[in-house]
Structures are given as C-alpha cells and as structure tokens.
Amino acid sequence: MANLKTLDVFYSLNSFQEEELRYKTVVMIDVLRASSSIVTALHNGAKAIIPVADMGEASKIAQNVDSENYLLCGEKDGIKIEGYDLGNSPIEFSKETVGGKTLIFNTTNGTKAVKKAAGSQNIYIAAFLNVSVIVDALKAQKKDIVLLCAGWKGRLAFEDVLLAGNIIHLLGEGELPEDSRDGAKVAYGLFEKYGDDIASVIHQSNHAARLKELIGTEDIDYCCQVDIIDALPRYKEGMITLS
Ligand code: 3SL
C-alpha cells in the first residue's frame, strides 16, 4: 500500500480555491484532450510547454519570443484558434512538428487548471497514456495529494473522474487507500463500476459526444490508450517539462 497522507479528488476548476492546494501535490487531469496532448508533445521531444489562462496571455508571450523555436497551440470550445500553429489534437503533436520546440498552450479548461494550481507544492500532468508513471511518482509522495480534474466549464467530465479513480485504484493496489476523502471515494467507486471498459464508456461521455461532432473519433481513440507513454510531465516555474 502506498505511503499516503490524504488523497482527494476535485471535480472541476470551480470546485476549489487556490489556497486549498498550497503544500499539496496536485495531479492535473484533462483526458480529452489537454493532458493527453501535453504528455504526447513532451514524449515526442517538445522542449517545454507554457500553459496559459487565455488568449491575451498567449499572445503577450508569443510577441516576445522567437517564432522559429516556439509554437502557439490551443483551442477554444474544441476548435483550433485562428492564427495558431496547432490546435489541441494530441495526434498533431508529432516528433516532426514539436521536436525541439517550446509550446505556448492555451485550452478551455486544462491549461487554466494548471495555472490555478500553480501555488501548490508539485504539479504533475496525467492522462491514461501515462497512468503508471504518475502512480509511481505519487507512491513516493509525502504530501497530501489532490487529483484535480479539469472538467468542462465548471462541470465534471466523466473521463477525468474515471482516470482519477484508476489512479486511486492503482495506488491502493485494488483497495480504497485509508486516507481517502469523499472526492476520492466517489472516483474510486466510478472506476470500480466502469474501469473494465475504459474506451467504450469514454466514447459515451458528454465531451466525447461534443468532440465527435467537431472532429470525429480519432483523438478519443488515441486518448483512451493506457500506459503507452513513459513520461512524467511536471509544471514548475511557469513551464511543463519532463521530470
Ligand atoms: O478543455 C480543454 O482544456 C480541452 O482539452 C478541451 S478540447 O478537448 O480541446 O475540446
């Protein structure tokens, strides 16, 4: 059993105040698609990712950097922002496209969640793609842990809670860890119910339905893959890099 203090899950950006994360280890989860894009981009050789809260912050940074080494990436309501180099499709973040580049990254919920957690002790970025690496990092933690689901515009997103439940399940080696708070118990229960069929239940989620209308199913299929990437993205001093 992992050496945990307390373990909790926050279900959306609106469900907590910044001060509640101070001194804690935070795992930001946005399965569809910001976390999956971040994990993929760093795995494919992106030098760093600068998460921003909005378009204003993104353009301010972009104006002051050399455009050869930086890419402006992100979406609004799932759609690539006009004038940006890339949107938020993890499949676009290939070695050829992002290798050696720093990405300025602006998304509807995921990058805002990272920024809101900036005052915490440690921030990791989790997707199904890298779940075991995240669990190994958490097993070594002595701080309280919060699994922060980015959700969608203040509401919970099923796929984020399912991944939180998967992480809890793995941390407890199949059992609910002793110091789980109510948020963790609910996510654990959701994974107990649906964890055998991750891809098919995610395909039935609200956000998957939204994405299917906009871009089809390719990104959803990609984001449902478990443990295909051995990368531990960590946010520190304004940037996400591999630790
Ligand atoms: O909300 C976000 O940060 C995005 O990941 C949403 S979307 O998948 O690009 O629609």
Side-chain angles (χ1 to χ4, degrees), residues 30 32-34 75 77-79 88 107-111 151-152 207 211:
D30 186 4
L32 297 175
R33 295 167 292 170
E75 53 68 43
D77 296 338
I79 299 168
N88 181 27
T107 72
T108 308
N109 305 282
T111 58
W152 180 261
H207 192 41
L211 285 175

Side-chain angles (χ1 to χ4, degrees), residues 19-39:
E19 305 80 70
E20 294 177 74
L21 295 181
R22 208 168 295 151
Y23 312 117
K24 295 191 175 162
T25 288
V26 174
V27 177
M28 195 289 282
I29 297 174
D30 186 4
V31 172
L32 297 175
R33 295 167 292 170
S35 295
S36 302
S37 293
I38 291 167
V39 170

